[in-house]
Amino acid sequence: MTTGSLATASTGFALATTGDAATAASPTPPVRTAGVLNTGSRPAVTDSAAAALATAVADPSRNFTGVAFSSDRATVAPNGEVMFTVRAANADGDPLVGSAVRIVAVDGPRWTTTATLRTDAAGEARISTRLLSTTTLTAVFDGSGALRPSIAGAATVTVQAPPSAARPARTGGGRSGAASTPAYDSVPASEIGAKVVYLASLQNGKPYVYGAAGPYAFDCSGYAQYVYRQLGRNLPRTAQQQFQATTRIPKAGKQPGDLIFFGSPSNITHMGIYAGNGYMWAAPRTGSNVRLQPIYSSTYYVGRVR
């Protein structure tokens, strides 16, 4: 089977492809991996192209093909992982082997290609993604000289935040009557964390430039400042100032949208935006571009924007 992996955000889901797209010369391409899929990163199909495809699909020729598309779950929590499966076959039920199938995001009358997979010997392809908002996808086989195109039924996955679990607050030790110390989990989670991750993903690939704060280039703190400003949060300019302006959260309590700081409290040297599952969006250094990367050190601090 062909597999892929996508990691996601709030008004869409996010993409940072590290594998190769399907090509006509490669019936079994390398495994694709991806970050948050940005459904707006590619132009939507034109009305004329959509009409042509609809006409071809409606043609009752003997060169019939069928495409099925499904997800392994209907509901997930924000940043939850979902596996989508495509199955393509001809009129006799024989699998379409090594065929390119487009994964399409559906938004009302508009649809946008977000990835292209190639089917395996069973006529199947799979791709996984982490969703930060409710998303509707389908699969399209564009046909060939011998086979007509077809479109699968759409699959919608609903993203719902799990109910917050009440936990007892930790209290300070020592003598009886000591004042209580608020637990870190009593600090409200960011209400815009998923949106932060999504907006951060839209800057994927833009160059690092020292002192730059967008929109065409960024340094690490300029990147965070730019993303949060779009959501009405005004962060100071430097990483050190942002460290001082945010609420400290233990590592175990970090959530998507929190800021990851490296260095020491008096000398913050780098930072990124936490994306979940040990990854962060960051503008790394001169000669590099904005990208999704692992948190590369076990020594860091977490700051939450209130």
Side-chain angles (χ1 to χ4, degrees):
M1 91 183 158
T2 301
T3 61
S5 169
L6 319 168
T8 255
S10 167
T11 52
F13 54 141
L15 176 65
T17 301
T18 58
D20 296 327
T23 63
S26 174
T28 55
V31 171
R32 291 172 50 114
T33 60
V36 180
L37 255 180
N38 168 21
T39 57
S41 63
R42 305 188 186 191
V45 69
T46 63
D47 291 342
S48 60
L53 177 61
T55 300
V57 169
D59 177 19
S61 70
R62 289 176 295 176
N63 299 328
F64 178 80
T65 60
V67 178
F69 187 69
S70 61
S71 62
D72 64 349
R73 60 198 66 193
T75 304
V76 294
N79 204 37
E81 186 172 5
V82 183
M83 177 74 77
F84 292 95
T85 300
V86 180
R87 295 181 177 87
N90 63 20
D92 297 325
D94 297 328
L96 299 183
V97 180
S99 297
V101 179
R102 292 186 291 122
I103 307 303
V104 174
V106 180
D107 181 15
R110 298 175 64 82
W111 48 279
T112 306
T113 298
T114 60
T116 300
L117 306 179
R118 194 169 294 280
T119 56
D120 61 14
E124 299 182 352
R126 291 177 173 81
I127 191 164
S128 65
T129 182
R130 294 186 180 278
L131 299 180
L132 295 177
S133 69
T134 297
T135 301
T136 299
L137 297 176
T138 189
V140 176
F141 171 61
D142 287 311
S144 66
L147 297 171
R148 78 171 201 174
S150 56
I151 302 175
T156 298
V157 178
T158 302
V159 175
Q160 294 180 338
S164 56
R167 302 183 191 176
R170 299 185 190 86
T171 58
R175 56 186 174 81
S176 175
S180 296
T181 300
Y184 75 81
D185 42 351
S186 69
V187 177
S190 172
E191 296 179 354
I192 58 173
K195 294 180 182 179
V196 169
V197 176
Y198 172 66
L199 291 173
S201 75
L202 297 185
Q203 312 311 316
N204 182 41
K206 292 185 178 180
Y208 175 99
V209 174
Y210 180 77
Y216 306 111
F218 302 93
D219 65 12
C220 63
S221 57
Y223 179 40
Q225 183 188 55
Y226 178 83
V227 169
Y228 266 97
R229 182 182 293 148
Q230 294 179 73
L231 296 168
R233 303 295 200 275
N234 294 316
L235 288 175
R237 178 60 186 87
T238 69
Q240 185 69 51
Q241 292 169 340
Q242 291 178 14
F243 176 82
Q244 295 167 346
T246 52
T247 301
R248 210 60 49 236
I249 302 292
K251 296 176 185 177
K254 63 183 178 294
Q255 297 182 14
D258 287 343
L259 301 181
I260 305 298
F261 296 97
F262 301 91
S264 66
S266 61
N267 183 30
I268 298 300
T269 58
H270 186 50
M271 62 175 297
I273 299 171
Y274 186 55
N277 298 305
Y279 282 77
M280 66 179 186
W281 283 101
R285 62 186 176 278
T286 300
S288 186
N289 298 328
V290 170
R291 66 174 185 248
L292 185 68
Q293 64 177 92
I295 296 176
Y296 55 81
S297 171
S298 60
T299 303
Y300 61 88
Y301 301 89
V302 182
R304 181 163 298 166
V305 178
R306 302 292 296 277

